């Protein structure tokens, strides 16, 4: 696992560099898309490169990490709409090439199984963008999730609903109680995991992710088993890392030609 500690805007540029590398190196690249606050600066940087430098998403496939259950198709916080607003529509990404689990399906287990098949049919995810919850969840894999789990329905914890209330006019009761999410086993099949976190409120989760024991209590710790995982954090999010000095030294001495 590589840990990079840098200002937030630099982290966004590094993540965008990794995405651009995948877009340029594969015939039909497959990107894993996260929602929430963490990836927004990355999406803005990718949009800038699309507008100013011609970066194209036309051949790419996009697969979302998760989706709320029960929101209407036109709800602004339905994650399919969020992804369209934050990146897909802004870069001219064909709608038929961006997919998410169907939180409005009448048969949710069947929808989850179909989503797993669609990811496999595309060849698997080349690069998965991730954020992390204050309780250590990635996707919506809440504490206690199986480390081998696949796409499925999950009940959101009260903490997650409180954290996400900011997207629902600060009304916790408006946040859905259930979601569909890629499982930890599904996420771990991506060829490169890039996780971003900023702010002191993420410091405990980052400490556990990087330096704690692998445990379902902190679901993101499963990333310690991944052969190519990158954790991008600012100083505040890194404030509880015991080996922060070593991570800085390692990154500072990294050859300039070597990407994430």
């Amino acid at each position: 696992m590589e840990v990079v500690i840098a200002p937030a805007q630099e982290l966004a540029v590094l993540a965008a560099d990794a995405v651009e590398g995948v877009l340029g190196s594969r015939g039909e690249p497959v990107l894993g898309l996260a929602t929430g606050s963490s990836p927004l600066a990355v999406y803005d940087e990718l949009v800038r490169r699309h507008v100013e430098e011609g970066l194209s998403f036309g051949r790419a496939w996009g697969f979302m990490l998760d989706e709320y259950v029960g929101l209407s198709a036109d709800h602004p916080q339905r994650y399919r709409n969020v992804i369209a607003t934050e990146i897909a529509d802004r870069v001219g990404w064909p709608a038929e090439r961006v997919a998410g689990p169907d939180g409005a399906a009448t048969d949710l287990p069947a929808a989850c199984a179909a989503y797993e098949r669609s990811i496999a049919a595309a060849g698997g995810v080349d690069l998965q963008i991730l954020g992390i919850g204050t309780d250590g969840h990635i996707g919506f894999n809440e504490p206690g999730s199986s480390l081998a789990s696949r796409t499925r329905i999950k009940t959101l914890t009260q903490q997650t609903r409180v954290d996400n209330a900011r997207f629902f006019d600060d009304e916790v009761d408006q946040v859905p109680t259930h979601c569909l999410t890629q499982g930890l086993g599904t996420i771990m099949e991506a060829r490169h995991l890039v996780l971003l976190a900023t702010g002191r409120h993420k410091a405990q989760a980052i400490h556990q992710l990087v330096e704690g024991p692998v445990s379902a209590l902190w679901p993101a710790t499963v990333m310690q088993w991944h052969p190519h995982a990158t954790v991008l954090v600012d100083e505040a999010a890194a404030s509880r890392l015991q080996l922060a000095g070593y991570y800085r030294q390692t990154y500072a001495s990294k050859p300039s030609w070597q990407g994430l």
Side-chain angles (χ1 to χ4, degrees):
M1 178 182 292
E2 179 179 26
V3 179
V4 178
I5 303 171
Q9 189 53 45
E10 182 177 339
L11 301 178
V13 170
L14 289 172
D17 287 345
V19 171
E20 183 171 0
V22 169
L23 291 174
S25 65
R26 294 185 177 273
E28 292 194 77
V30 182
L31 300 176
L33 305 171
T35 51
S37 301
S38 297
L40 293 182
V42 181
Y43 295 154
D44 286 343
E45 174 62 16
L46 290 170
V47 170
R48 184 196 68 77
R49 296 183 190 195
H50 168 74
V51 173
E52 298 180 8
E53 303 170 12
L55 182 64
S56 175
F57 288 75
R59 295 180 293 103
W61 296 97
F63 288 94
M64 294 161 41
L65 269 177
D66 40 37
E67 181 60 273
Y68 287 118
V69 169
L71 293 184
S72 63
D74 61 351
H75 195 289
Q77 290 306 316
R78 177 176 175 252
Y79 280 164
R80 184 65 185 83
N81 297 333
V82 172
I83 288 295
T85 298
E86 298 297 345
I87 183 167
D89 289 352
R90 299 168 71 194
V91 298
W93 203 339
E96 65 274 13
R97 298 184 74 90
V98 180
D102 185 1
T106 54
D107 187 339
L108 292 174
C112 292
Y115 194 57
E116 287 275 337
R117 290 193 298 271
S118 66
I119 295 173
V125 174
D126 293 308
L127 185 150
Q128 175 67 61
I129 299 171
L130 296 167
I132 187 170
T134 57
D135 60 3
H137 71 251
I138 52 175
F140 271 138
N141 293 281
E142 300 283 28
S145 293
S146 166
L147 302 184
S149 54
R150 312 302 301 189
T151 301
R152 68 213 185 285
I153 186 170
K154 286 291 290 183
T155 301
L156 299 176
T157 65
Q158 183 64 12
Q159 182 61 58
T160 295
R161 296 180 71 225
V162 168
D163 289 347
N164 286 5
R166 66 190 189 278
F167 300 115
F168 291 82
D169 298 322
D170 291 321
E171 296 185 20
V172 176
D173 290 344
Q174 297 302 311
V175 182
T177 57
H178 292 82
C179 67
L180 303 184
T181 182
Q182 287 188 35
L184 294 171
T186 311
I187 292 169
M188 287 287 285
E189 289 180 352
R191 285 175 271 279
H192 185 190
L193 304 180
V194 177
L195 183 144
L196 298 102
T198 57
R200 190 169 295 275
H201 63 298
K202 297 293 181 73
Q204 173 67 355
I206 290 299
H207 166 61
Q208 294 292 336
L209 159 62
V210 176
E211 298 174 336
V214 176
S215 168
L217 186 61
W218 293 92
T221 58
V222 72
M223 289 176 58
Q224 294 180 29
W225 288 340
H226 198 280
H228 191 189
T230 304
V231 177
L232 304 174
V233 290
D234 67 358
E235 291 288 346
S239 60
R240 297 197 60 174
L241 291 175
Q242 293 174 270
L243 299 177
Y246 175 67
Y247 306 138
R248 293 188 184 94
Q249 175 190 347
T250 300
Y251 182 65
S253 60
K254 187 175 182 178
S256 59
W257 50 262
Q258 186 178 0
L260 293 182

